[in-house]
Amino acid sequence: MDNTIKKRWISLYVENQVGVLSKISGLFSGKSYNLDSLTVGTTEDPTVSRMTIATVSDDETFEQIKKQLNRLVEVIKVIDFTDIFVRMKEILYVKVRKLSREDKVELHQIAETYKARVIDRGPDSLLLEFVQTATKNDAVIKLIKEEFTDIEVVRGGSVGIESISMMER
């Protein structure tokens, strides 16, 4: 087994019941596993929810995580997304305040480059919405932090689905 620490993704189908999210996040905290992000929402079946979990671990720890998740009664199916082709995106909101007219023009150019939408604006501020990979969101946050001083960032965790074709993340 590889002892390399790397980012890994798991998708879970779980029973849509009170306490399931708490039980799964509790498993991570109780075993001191790093939970990088976790998203959950109902599926086409209202009795089933789907979770997408990102974690950072080595192979041995990751295998333990999957085994322990599979043991939970409420878990219907565990899918390892780490080495398969998936479509994965996360939502990112960036609010930038105290902008000059020139700053707004620059921020609009950044938004266009990264395919963001300007979803709200004020006399000296803009609110941008990005829906892209976590890696691209990391890059845009870094860029905006370098260019502007008064920013607020809110990120949702990634959601993913197995790709129909051989497209990468």
Side-chain angles (χ1 to χ4, degrees), residues 11 13 18 31 34 44-45 48 52-53 56 64-65 68 76 82 89 103 111 119 121-122 142-143 145 152 155 158-159:
S11 181
Y13 285 98
V18 173
K31 300 288 186 178
N34 181 39
E44 64 282 356
D45 177 349
V48 176
T52 305
I53 298 172
V56 177
Q64 284 299 313
I65 291 169
Q68 289 169 357
I76 299 164
T82 304
K89 301 287 184 195
D103 289 340
I119 60 169
R121 65 183 74 235
K142 183 176 185 265
L143 175 65
K145 283 172 88 174
E152 181 179 348
R155 294 176 88 154
S158 294
V159 294

Side-chain angles (χ1 to χ4, degrees), residues 17-30:
Q17 298 176 353
V18 173
V20 173
L21 174 61
S22 175
K23 201 172 209 181
I24 289 172
S25 62
L27 181 140
F28 276 77
S29 66

Side-chain angles (χ1 to χ4, degrees), residues 74-111:
E74 299 85 357
V75 174
I76 299 164
K77 185 175 182 181
V78 176
I79 304 166
D80 181 351
F81 272 178
T82 304
D83 294 320
I84 63 172
F85 292 104
V86 295
R87 293 290 185 159
M88 195 168 291
K89 301 287 184 195
E90 90 171 357
I91 192 162
L92 164 69
Y93 291 108
V94 180
K95 186 186 299 181
V96 187
R97 295 178 286 264
K98 298 180 184 171
L99 297 170
S100 66
R101 187 175 296 251
E102 296 79 23
D103 289 340
K104 280 187 175 182
V105 169
E106 183 179 353
L107 199 53
H108 273 280
Q109 289 173 342
I110 291 170

Side-chain angles (χ1 to χ4, degrees), residues 118-155:
V118 176
I119 60 169
D120 199 5
R121 65 183 74 235
D124 68 343
S125 58
L126 290 175
L127 177 57
L128 306 177
E129 178 184 72
F130 300 82
V131 178
Q132 54 194 9
T133 65
T135 304
K136 286 182 182 176
N137 281 343
D138 290 342
V140 79
I141 290 168
K142 183 176 185 265
L143 175 65
I144 291 173
K145 283 172 88 174
E146 289 171 356
E147 299 295 322
F148 305 99
T149 55
D150 192 347
I151 71 167
E152 181 179 348
V153 173
V154 177
R155 294 176 88 154

